[in-house]
């Protein structure tokens, strides 16, 4: 089988190279050059062709880098339809249009970074390891309407790094804040006198005592972007990211007799949090920690209207865990290797984009070996029928394989053709309506296969006590005795994870009323067969393996508008709501509510930008979480202020959770109250 895969990859490369000598004539595509500080939300490649408007763009500087912007997810929190949640043990999760991060593709410069889902009560390739210091823009394609990217339902988040930084500069930055948080960093960017070589390099070191017990973090990161310009229309870019992080493995902090750790009064900010929900002999003790070593490499070549990308992402993780009478060391490695090729042609009123992509993902521990491969071919035609109508016709073919290489077991070998239809109608120069219908094909990510294969402990899992549907399933199928069936029995009963398929629909309207006010409303509807679900996802406690529902339907509405009060003062407001229904749930055969999606979010941003160097941003978000999180709705406001003096010196203050709100994102684990961060940056 693996020889077949290698031959297939060789054929794909040969096909890409042969297409490059095609005799078609084409005109050079003009791509808008966005400012370095812009988050671009394109929603669909057919709506405005990537043009940024007030409604579809946010300014990174408005969110003030004063300790608030530590990762890519900090830049996404104010984006309509996106919900960012942090589990003290399971890491950061991003949902888009109500679906989990496993159904949202993440890419760097068009190279897809997979396995964002939680593995082993932690993370695989994760948000915290993605570079943030040299981001040029973030493109967000909502929904499944783009044929260029396969395996997505919620959409695509593409992080574009700086390739032409401009003037030569060096920046030094230092900050400190609550809970022993301190950071230092240095970056340098520039271009040679002849304009041939551009670079951006940075190094950062971060330390924090953490909000929870045994919750320390110690990390250092380096990023390098190097671009060689052969001509004005031909360049080669290399990007390298290296990240090392150590973080404490959270332990319980309460006086419950079942918690052998007890309460630690070391300092008053440590909250009373649950224990590990394990037997005393298996509870984590102070001093337990995890190491993450993450390397991202990519090589991208651009010439005219075609590009070729090669990339590899590797994360090595080591868990050093202390127990009552023993210690253990376990290791895990995830690899994501792939390439993609894309060509664009202008033929009259048609813009044709076609290409291919291939990804191979590996996950291995001492007891597990999984490998999945995804190959895709696509064709997209954007047809400007007349001055008012833009029609998009897309077609994508995907092939997916999943194997357990330790046992030489083939879990899946599936293919699917996915047609896509988009139409935009311009009502006026500043107003349009748009609609799309897309076939969806989604393969389970490596993280889900890992959880399906190993994340089950019938005698100790807290769900055997807490979840009535789980208990009912055990009673109905095994007479209530959890010791009578094994993981292998469970997997046979659940069946191997199947690929998701179905339809995604979208209908929307947008209008820029004048220079001050713009609005956009979008409705969406998903109808998905074999929807993969799990009771708990990436939480503190382990959960039953993921399994397929018969069907899930998700519908929602996004509303976004902005208002510019004056040259210096502006307001952004957005509201997103979504609901889901289900059928064919073996744990809950009579249930009809899909309780694993957040119900709604409200974003409010008030931004002040003074030309004399003072900036301020007040950002608020209200989240109504998914029912299965067992947490209440909450509203949090963050305030940031900065002042830039002469000679590129900037001092900034951030106040997070401004009104000291009590809230939880994971059941039983309070989030930090009001906290602060102060930073200073100088450029020369």
């Amino acid at each position: 089988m693996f020889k077949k895969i290698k031959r297939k990859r060789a054929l794909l490369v040969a096909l890409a190279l042969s297409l490059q000598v095609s005799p078609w004539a084409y005109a050079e595509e003009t791509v808008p050059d966005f400012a370095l500080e812009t988050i671009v939300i394109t929603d669909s490649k057919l709506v405005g062709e990537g043009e940024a408007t007030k409604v579809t763009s946010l300014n990174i500087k408005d969110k003030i880098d004063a300790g608030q912007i530590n990762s890519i997810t900090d830049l996404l929190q104010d984006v309509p339809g996106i919900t960012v949640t942090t589990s003290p043990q399971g890491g950061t999760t991003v949902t888009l249009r109500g679906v989990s991060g496993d159904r949202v593709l993440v890419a760097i410069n068009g190279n897809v970074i997979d396995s964002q889902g939680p593995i082993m009560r932690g993370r695989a390739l994760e948000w915290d390891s993605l570079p943030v210091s040299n981001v040029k823009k973030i493109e967000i394609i909502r929904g499944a309407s783009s044929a260029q990217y396969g395996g997505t339902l919620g959409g695509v988040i593409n992080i574009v790094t700086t390739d032409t930084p401009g003037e030569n500069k060096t920046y030094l930055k230092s900050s400190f804040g609550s809970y022993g948080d301190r950071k230092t960093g240095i970056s340098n960017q520039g271009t040679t006198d002849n304009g041939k070589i551009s670079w951006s390099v940075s190094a950062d070191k971060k330390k924090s005592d953490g909000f929870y017990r045994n919750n320390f973090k110690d990390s250092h990161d380096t990023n390098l972007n190097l671009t060689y310009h052969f001509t004005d229309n031909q360049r080669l870019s290399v990007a390298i990211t290296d990240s090392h992080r150590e973080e404490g493995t959270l332990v319980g902090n309460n006086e419950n007799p079942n918690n052998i750790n007890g309460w630690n009064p070391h300092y008053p900010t440590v909250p009373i949090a649950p224990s590990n929900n394990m037997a005393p002999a298996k509870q984590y003790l102070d001093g337990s920690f995890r190491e993450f070593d993450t390397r991202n490499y990519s090589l991208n070549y651009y010439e005219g209207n075609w590009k070729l990308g090669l990339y590899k992402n590797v994360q090595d993780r080591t868990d050093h865990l202390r127990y009552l009478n023993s210690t253990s060391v376990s290791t895990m490695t995830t690899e994501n290797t792939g390439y993609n090729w894309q060509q664009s042609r202008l033929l009259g009123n048609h813009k044709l984009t076609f290409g291919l992509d291939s990804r191979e993902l590996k996950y291995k521990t001492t007891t597990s070996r999984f490998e999945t491969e995804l190959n895709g071919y696509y064709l997209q035609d954007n047809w400007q029928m007349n001055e008012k109508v833009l029609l998009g016709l897309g077609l994508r073919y995907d092939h997916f394989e999943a194997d357990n290489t330790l046992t030489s077991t083939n879990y899946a070998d599936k293919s699917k053709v996915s047609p896509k239809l988009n139409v935009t109608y311009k009502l006026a120069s500043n107003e349009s309506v748009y609609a799309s219908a897309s076939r969806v094909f989604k393969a389970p990510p490596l993280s889900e296969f890992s959880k399906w294969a190993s994340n089950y402990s019938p005698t100790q899992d807290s769900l055997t006590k807490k979840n009535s549907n789980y208990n009912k399933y055990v009673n109905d199928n095994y007479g209530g005795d959890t010791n009578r069936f094994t993981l292998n029995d469970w997997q046979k009963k659940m069946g191997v994870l199947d690929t998701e398929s179905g339809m995604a629909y979208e209908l929307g309207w947008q209008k820029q009323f004048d220079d001050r006010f713009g609005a956009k409303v979008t409705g969406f509807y998903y109808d998905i067969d074999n929807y993969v679900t799990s009771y708990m996802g990436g939480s503190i406690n382990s959960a039953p393996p993921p399994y397929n529902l018969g069907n899930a339907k998700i519908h929602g509405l996004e509303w976004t508008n902005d208002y510019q009060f004056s040259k210096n003062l502006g307001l952004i407001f957005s509201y997103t709501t979504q609901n889901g229904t289900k059928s064919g749930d073996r744990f809950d055969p009579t249930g009809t509510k899909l309780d694993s999606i957040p119900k709604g979010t409200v974003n409010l941003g008030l931004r002040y930008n003074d030309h004399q160097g003072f900036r301020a941003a007040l950002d608020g978000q209200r989240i109504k979480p998914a029912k299965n999180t067992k947490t209440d709705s909450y509203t949090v406001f963050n305030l940031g202020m900065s002042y830039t003096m002469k000679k590129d010196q900037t001092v900034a203050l951030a106040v997070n959770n401004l009104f000291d709100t009590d809230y939880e994102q994971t059941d039983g684990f309070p989030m930090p109250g009001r906290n602060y961060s102060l930073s200073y940056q100088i450029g020369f």
Side-chain angles (χ1 to χ4, degrees):
M1 180 187 68
F2 299 107
K3 290 182 178 179
K4 178 184 70 174
I5 292 175
K6 291 181 179 179
R7 287 197 299 269
K8 185 188 302 180
R9 286 174 170 266
L11 288 174
L12 289 174
V13 174
L15 175 60
L17 294 177
S18 66
L19 286 171
Q20 282 315 118
V21 297
S22 171
W24 291 10
Y26 64 94
E28 181 178 345
E29 177 186 358
T30 301
V31 180
D33 183 19
F34 297 101
L36 298 181
E37 300 83 16
T38 301
I39 295 180
V40 181
I41 308 168
T42 57
D43 295 281
S44 165
K45 287 296 184 183
L46 299 179
V47 180
E49 275 304 299
E51 294 178 1
T53 68
K54 292 181 181 179
V55 174
T56 60
S57 66
L58 298 173
N59 197 304
I60 291 175
K61 287 189 181 297
D62 287 342
K63 197 164 165 46
I64 310 303
D65 188 359
Q68 289 175 300
I69 299 179
N70 296 316
S71 67
I72 296 296
T73 54
D74 292 330
L75 302 177
L76 298 174
Q77 291 193 43
D78 299 322
V79 177
I82 287 184
T83 302
V84 178
T85 57
T86 301
S87 164
Q89 189 96 323
T92 302
T93 301
V94 175
T95 61
L96 179 55
R97 286 189 170 176
V99 297
S100 66
D102 294 340
R103 297 177 179 86
V104 179
L105 287 186
V106 182
I108 300 178
N109 298 322
N111 303 322
V112 175
I113 310 297
D114 211 275
S115 294
Q116 295 293 327
I119 293 181
M120 290 173 58
R121 296 190 189 175
R123 284 83 75 199
L125 293 170
E126 59 192 272
W127 289 101
D128 290 344
S129 68
L130 303 180
V132 67
S133 59
N134 60 345
V135 171
K136 177 182 180 181
K137 60 181 178 180
I138 299 178
E139 297 176 331
I140 299 178
I141 305 172
R142 299 179 185 276
S145 60
S146 174
Q148 179 181 346
Y149 296 96
T152 182
L153 181 61
V156 180
I157 299 174
N158 183 35
I159 303 160
V160 181
T161 57
T162 303
D163 55 4
T164 308
E167 63 177 325
N168 296 6
K169 280 238 173 167
T170 298
Y171 292 94
L172 294 176
K173 180 180 177 181
S174 180
S175 69
F176 62 92
S178 303
Y179 315 116
D181 185 75
R182 56 264 193 210
K183 312 181 192 73
T184 56
I186 182 172
S187 64
N188 177 265
Q189 64 180 43
T191 304
T192 57
D193 293 338
N194 61 7
K196 288 289 186 180
I197 301 176
S198 300
W199 69 88
S200 173
V201 60
S202 65
D204 300 278
K205 184 171 180 60
K206 305 174 185 177
K207 283 191 174 184
S208 176
D209 297 333
F211 178 61
Y212 299 96
R213 181 172 175 180
N214 205 58
N215 191 209
F216 67 87
K217 291 181 175 63
D218 188 349
S219 67
H220 53 83
D221 309 283
T222 55
N223 297 289
L224 170 66
N225 278 66
L226 185 65
T227 301
Y228 184 81
H229 300 262
F230 297 95
T231 66
D232 292 340
N233 203 32
Q234 183 183 20
R235 68 186 188 274
L236 178 69
S237 294
V238 177
I240 301 174
T241 299
D242 187 278
S243 171
H244 176 82
R245 184 171 70 261
E246 294 183 8
E247 58 182 42
T249 301
L250 191 66
V251 302
N253 189 58
N254 57 52
E255 296 177 339
N256 187 309
N258 294 323
N259 176 24
I260 63 172
N261 291 287
W263 180 62
N264 179 4
H266 177 61
Y267 51 90
T269 58
V270 175
I272 297 177
S275 63
N276 309 118
N277 291 310
M278 295 180 176
K282 291 194 174 183
Q283 287 187 26
Y284 304 142
L285 302 182
D286 287 328
S288 298
F289 70 99
R290 290 168 173 159
E291 290 182 272
F292 296 85
D293 285 293
T294 308
R295 287 92 63 200
N296 300 324
Y297 313 96
S298 68
L299 182 69
N300 289 275
Y301 180 76
Y302 307 85
E303 182 175 351
N305 283 359
W306 75 274
K307 62 181 182 179
L308 178 66
L310 309 172
Y311 57 95
K312 184 179 184 69
N313 316 106
V314 181
Q315 182 175 92
D316 296 313
R317 170 180 159 183
T318 305
D319 286 26
H320 304 265
L321 303 177
R322 296 182 62 244
Y323 302 103
L324 185 61
N325 298 312
S326 64
T327 60
S328 72
V329 177
S330 59
T331 60
M332 178 191 79
T333 298
T334 55
E335 294 184 9
N336 177 39
T337 307
Y339 59 86
N340 55 77
W341 168 83
Q342 181 178 301
Q343 177 89 55
S344 295
R345 308 277 185 172
L346 294 180
L347 297 176
N349 293 331
H350 297 263
K351 177 187 173 183
L352 297 178
T353 302
F354 50 95
L356 54 88
D357 56 69
S358 177
R359 283 182 283 148
E360 185 179 65
L361 298 100
K362 298 179 180 180
Y363 166 76
K364 57 184 178 182
T365 67
T366 54
T367 58
S368 302
R369 296 286 192 280
F370 293 97
E371 183 172 317
T372 63
E373 183 177 359
L374 300 95
N375 294 301
Y377 313 82
Y378 58 89
L379 172 65
Q380 181 79 37
D381 177 16
N382 290 354
W383 178 16
Q384 191 72 54
M385 300 180 66
N386 52 49
E387 292 182 355
K388 292 186 177 240
V389 180
L390 177 63
L391 181 67
L393 299 171
L395 191 65
R396 184 178 176 92
Y397 170 82
D398 287 289
H399 179 254
F400 168 71
E401 289 189 41
D403 302 279
N404 185 333
T405 58
L406 196 65
T407 60
S408 299
T409 304
N410 180 253
Y411 285 137
D413 191 339
K414 294 263 181 109
S415 299
K416 193 77 172 182
V417 175
S418 304
K420 299 173 186 294
L421 172 65
N422 305 261
V423 61
T424 301
Y425 182 78
K426 186 177 290 188
L427 300 172
S429 60
N430 61 345
E431 183 180 13
S432 62
V433 293
Y434 51 93
S436 68
S438 307
R439 171 66 65 179
V440 174
F441 175 75
K442 175 72 177 69
L446 209 56
S447 56
E448 296 295 344
F449 269 108
S450 169
K451 288 189 288 185
W452 173 85
S454 60
N455 198 14
Y456 174 63
S457 178
T459 59
Q460 296 173 5
D461 197 319
S462 61
L463 262 70
T464 59
K465 300 177 181 179
K466 290 184 178 180
N467 193 287
S468 59
N469 291 327
Y470 179 87
N471 283 331
K472 184 177 185 304
Y473 185 87
V474 172
N475 288 326
D476 291 347
N477 292 277
Y478 298 98
D481 185 359
T482 59
N483 292 308
R484 288 179 54 188
F485 65 100
T486 65
L487 172 63
N488 188 53
D489 294 330
W490 174 271
Q491 291 173 346
K492 288 180 180 179
K493 204 72 178 178
M494 291 289 96
V496 175
L497 289 181
D498 201 356
T499 54
E500 299 175 341
S501 62
M503 291 294 298
Y505 304 94
E506 182 181 79
L507 178 64
W509 165 85
Q510 65 178 4
K511 182 175 181 178
Q512 192 69 37
F513 291 88
D514 52 37
D515 292 340
R516 291 176 175 266
F517 179 65
K520 186 172 187 177
V521 180
T522 305
F524 57 91
Y525 175 75
Y526 302 142
D527 186 351
I528 308 299
D529 293 327
N530 297 324
Y531 188 86
V532 177
T533 191
S534 176
Y535 273 111
M536 294 184 67
S539 186
I540 293 293
N541 306 305
S542 59
Y547 60 97
N548 293 97
L549 297 176
N551 177 268
K553 294 179 173 60
I554 300 172
H555 58 89
L557 182 72
E558 297 169 343
W559 170 31
T560 302
N561 62 270
D562 65 288
Y563 187 79
Q564 199 72 24
F565 295 100
S566 66
K567 179 181 178 181
N568 298 329
L569 183 63
L571 174 73
I572 292 178
F573 174 83
S574 67
Y575 171 71
T576 303
T577 181
Q578 56 251 330
N579 285 282
T581 59
K582 65 178 181 178
S583 60
D585 187 340
R586 65 192 74 201
F587 271 179
D588 189 17
T590 61
T592 59
K593 292 292 185 180
L594 188 63
D595 294 329
S596 59
I597 62 174
K599 298 302 181 183
T601 60
V602 178
N603 297 89
L604 178 66
L606 187 62
R607 319 294 171 69
Y608 180 79
N609 182 7
D610 180 40
H611 69 280
Q612 295 181 352
F614 177 75
R615 293 171 179 265
L618 177 65
D619 292 300
Q621 185 175 62
R622 178 168 178 80
I623 295 180
K624 187 176 182 181
K627 183 177 179 180
N628 72 347
T629 64
K630 301 178 182 178
T631 58
D632 297 326
S633 300
Y634 60 88
T635 303
V636 176
F637 282 87
N638 299 321
L639 174 66
M641 297 177 289
S642 75
Y643 179 67
T644 301
M645 299 166 279
K646 295 180 179 180
K647 297 183 179 180
D648 286 323
Q649 298 182 66
T650 300
V651 61
L653 171 68
V655 184
N656 301 307
N657 195 357
L658 180 64
F659 300 110
D660 203 21
T661 302
D662 292 327
Y663 70 104
E664 296 178 351
Q665 292 185 336
T666 300
D667 185 31
F669 290 83
M671 294 296 288
R674 185 186 299 113
N675 58 93
Y676 309 87
S677 180
L678 180 67
S679 72
Y680 173 76
Q681 176 178 283
I682 183 171
F684 52 89

